[in-house]
Amino acid sequence: MNWKQLYNMQKELDRYIEKNNNLENKNVFQEKHLALLVELGELANETRCFKFWSQKPRNEKHIILEEYVDGIHFILSLGIENDYYYMSEKKTMPIFTETEQFIKVFQACTLFHSFPTEENYQAMFESYLQLGKLLGFTEEDIQRAYLQKNEVNFKRQDTGY
């Protein structure tokens, strides 16, 4: 995965959003963090992995991937804001169910919010990537979807989304 490219693209999008919304000198860490948690919840909702009471199937893979990439946008943005960049370690991670991994990601996000250290950022990012693997996404899937969604996000800014 070319994380440097994605960080650079996210930096450009963040600057564009800040300029268009007069946020150049405003700290939006709290808002970005809450947005990440909301996106994570939306992602879980699309997978329906926790809905033990329902017979309705999960959404289509491309819709789940689009929701997943929304989370990548905010994780990259939070890293940029704190001058942290993901360092792939290719660690062997324990295997959890999707529901368990969602909870792990929520916990990692909460820990990073309370203690925004580089170590906690790396752990949050790694747990999110592990979730992506559990959902069946390859690095190529994620990168392609990120590039597409980044373009959509720029267009949304131009139309007052």
Side-chain angles (χ1 to χ4, degrees):
M1 176 77 76
N2 186 349
W3 290 115
K4 185 175 181 177
Q5 176 192 16
L6 298 189
Y7 274 107
N8 288 336
M9 292 176 72
Q10 188 64 47
K11 235 182 248 190
E12 190 178 323
L13 177 61
D14 286 353
R15 281 193 215 120
Y16 195 71
I17 291 169
E18 289 166 6
K19 184 179 179 192
N20 281 354
N21 295 283
N22 297 319
L23 299 170
E24 287 93 348
N25 297 315
K26 185 172 183 201
N27 182 335
V28 291
F29 177 82
Q30 300 292 335
E31 288 80 0
K32 288 179 183 181
H33 184 265
L34 180 57
L36 173 58
L37 294 176
V38 168
E39 293 298 341
L40 186 56
E42 289 178 4
L43 175 61
N45 204 40
E46 295 299 340
T47 70
R48 304 180 61 77
C49 65
F50 64 95
K51 294 189 175 188
F52 59 88
W53 61 87
S54 177
Q55 298 299 313
K56 186 177 174 185
R58 66 192 310 127
N59 221 322
E60 296 173 22
K61 187 174 181 176
H62 75 275
I63 292 172
I64 295 170
L65 177 58
E66 187 174 324
E67 289 296 340
Y68 179 81
V69 168
D70 287 344
I72 293 285
H73 275 274
F74 286 108
I75 290 172
L76 293 172
S77 188
L78 285 165
I80 291 164
E81 190 163 315
N82 289 281
D83 204 27
Y84 300 151
Y85 299 90
Y86 176 65
M87 311 290 243
S88 176
E89 293 181 22
K90 301 288 183 189
K91 293 190 272 185
T92 303
M93 301 286 286
I95 298 174
F96 297 107
T97 66
E98 287 180 9
T99 300
E100 290 169 329
Q101 191 62 35
F102 270 105
I103 292 167
K104 296 286 182 198
V105 175
F106 271 108
Q107 290 170 335
C109 289
T110 301
L111 184 61
F112 177 68
H113 177 260
S114 298
F115 305 99
T117 65
E118 186 166 8
E119 180 180 351
N120 288 339
Y121 178 76
Q122 299 295 328
M124 176 180 68
F125 209 137
E126 194 64 45
S127 67
Y128 197 77
L129 292 177
Q130 182 66 21
L131 176 61
K133 288 178 190 170
L134 276 172
L135 296 173
F137 304 137
T138 65
E139 288 185 356
E140 293 80 22
D141 292 336
I142 295 167
Q143 187 156 355
R144 184 180 61 255
Y146 178 89
L147 297 175
Q148 291 170 346
K149 190 63 183 263
N150 194 39
E151 188 177 315
V152 167
N153 286 338
F154 269 105
K155 287 179 184 173
R156 286 178 170 174
Q157 285 300 303
D158 292 338
T159 59
Y161 174 75

